[in-house]
Amino acid sequence: MYQRIVVLTGAGISAESGLKTFRAEDGLWEEHRVEDVATPEGYWRNPDLVNRFYNQRWTQLKKDVEPNPAHQALGRLEQEFDGELLLVTQNIDNLHERGGSRRVLHMHGELVKGRCPKSQQTFPLAMPFGPDNLCTCCEPGNVMRPHVVWFGEMPIGLDRIYEALERCDLFISIGTSGTVYPAAGFVEMANHAGAHTLEINLEPSEVHSQFNTHRQGRAGELVPELVE
Ligand code: BV8
């Protein structure tokens, strides 16, 4: 059957774990548009506001959020599938890893890491973002920023993603609204490679028409069915 699979996930795969999606909040946070908070300009203009945005999500992630059956099914797929599998996520949570996936490409960064703005070195987040959270790679330390790709910043791992898309024979998109690029353009690249393309989402995404097949519903139900 299929030998080279690329899976792209978005906020919808973590919705059943209790993490808010961007759409559900109408892209709003504390009456700010996410596009204004999740930007370098927003951060340098008002680091406290942006730090609060990420510290709140970090606290929620640590407290009462667990991977759901969709994360776990993709973890099993990685263990059992003997072909090539690349799991790309737009999510900055660590639920894929906690659901059993060991190789996850976080193209928009990771909430559980901080980054030195000077050296770009990343560190596991040990305390909330703020003026006291300093890197240890510089002397004196620099205030760490979230290791997150903001709007206007270059996503991580694009070369690897494009290479996998150009040779894949199956592309599965799970829980994403298809509103943010370049991720929303991956299906077009997969189609161009002649891959079979499948969208699993609660509702048709913005790029719904570019998929060969669709399964509409909750990821927690549809992804385990697909992987079995
Ligand atoms: C880039 C990290 C250059 C932060 C995120 C002007 C200036 C600069 C850039 C642009 C510009 N105009 C446009 C752009 C490009 C821009 C962009 O696309 N903007 C949009 C708003 C139009 N993109 C960028 O800036 C990117 N960088 O362009 O660099 C470049 C040049 C050349 C080549 C490459 C690059 C960087 C974008 C990254 C931004 N960072 N995240 C953080 O998380 O705080 S984006 C963030 O929002 C997420 O990572 C994700 O990507 C996006 C939200 O999308 P989704 O994950 O899809 O979530 P959403 O809530 O929208 O949808 C959830 C879906 O799940 C829904 O459809 C729902 O129905 C479904 N669902 C819900 N429950 C379930 C479910 N499905 C199944 N089961 C359920 N239970």
Side-chain angles (χ1 to χ4, degrees):
M1 198 57 170
Y2 299 110
Q3 279 308 308
R4 294 177 304 283
I5 305 177
V6 176
V7 178
L8 170 71
T9 64
I13 199 170
S14 298
E16 291 157 79
S17 296
L19 283 182
K20 290 181 230 164
T21 66
F22 291 80
R23 280 170 67 90
E25 301 301 303
D26 295 329
L28 284 183
W29 181 76
E30 282 193 3
E31 85 285 339
H32 294 273
R33 278 169 22 87
V34 169
E35 278 79 13
D36 297 335
V37 175
T39 62
E41 300 75 21
Y43 178 72
W44 299 114
R45 185 171 54 233
N46 187 344
D48 295 347
L49 170 78
V50 179
N51 284 337
R52 214 167 43 244
F53 178 50
Y54 289 99
N55 288 339
Q56 189 201 52
R57 289 163 73 185
W58 184 49
T59 306
Q60 191 199 9
L61 185 60
K62 284 188 303 177
K63 216 170 45 186
D64 47 7
V65 167
E66 294 299 326
N68 65 56
H71 298 109
Q72 289 155 349
L74 291 179
R76 283 196 303 280
L77 178 67
E78 181 188 287
Q79 316 291 336
E80 293 156 15
F81 179 59
D82 56 10
E84 292 170 26
L85 171 68
L86 176 64
L87 172 56
V88 184
T89 185
Q90 300 172 89
N91 301 337
I92 60 175
D93 64 55
N94 59 357
L95 294 177
H96 279 301
E97 290 84 351
R98 290 166 53 192
S101 294
R102 287 169 304 184
R103 291 188 305 281
V104 186
L105 200 168
H106 286 270
M107 66 178 288
H108 291 160
E110 297 177 72
L111 183 55
V112 294
K113 290 180 182 170
R115 187 194 322 158
C116 169
K118 191 153 166 279
S119 72
Q120 302 305 313
Q121 204 172 319
T122 61
F123 301 85
L125 198 55
M127 60 184 280
F129 290 107
D132 309 334
N133 192 345
L134 307 178
C135 75
T136 52
C137 52
C138 307
E139 186 52 47
N142 295 302
V143 175
M144 293 230 275
R145 59 163 278 179
H147 176 50
V148 163
V149 176
W150 284 323
F151 287 96
E153 294 188 318
M154 188 61 78
I156 295 164
L158 285 184
D159 292 348
R160 184 147 160 249
I161 298 168
Y162 291 160
E163 187 198 332
L165 286 170
E166 279 156 15
R167 48 184 277 116
C168 73
D169 53 15
L170 176 60
F171 175 70
I172 309 170
S173 174
I174 305 170
T176 178
S177 61
T179 48
V180 173
Y181 287 83
F186 291 172
V187 57
E188 196 180 338
M189 294 179 72
N191 282 327
H192 187 70
H196 181 80
T197 50
L198 164 64
E199 173 174 274
I200 297 178
N201 209 52
L202 203 55
E203 62 195 359
S205 75
E206 306 259 309
V207 286
H208 172 264
S209 60
Q210 295 179 39
F211 286 85
N212 306 127
T213 49
H214 311 84
R215 292 198 191 161
Q216 192 159 332
R218 292 183 308 104
E221 220 169 278
L222 296 178
V223 178
E225 272 173 27
L226 177 82
V227 169
E228 293 340 325

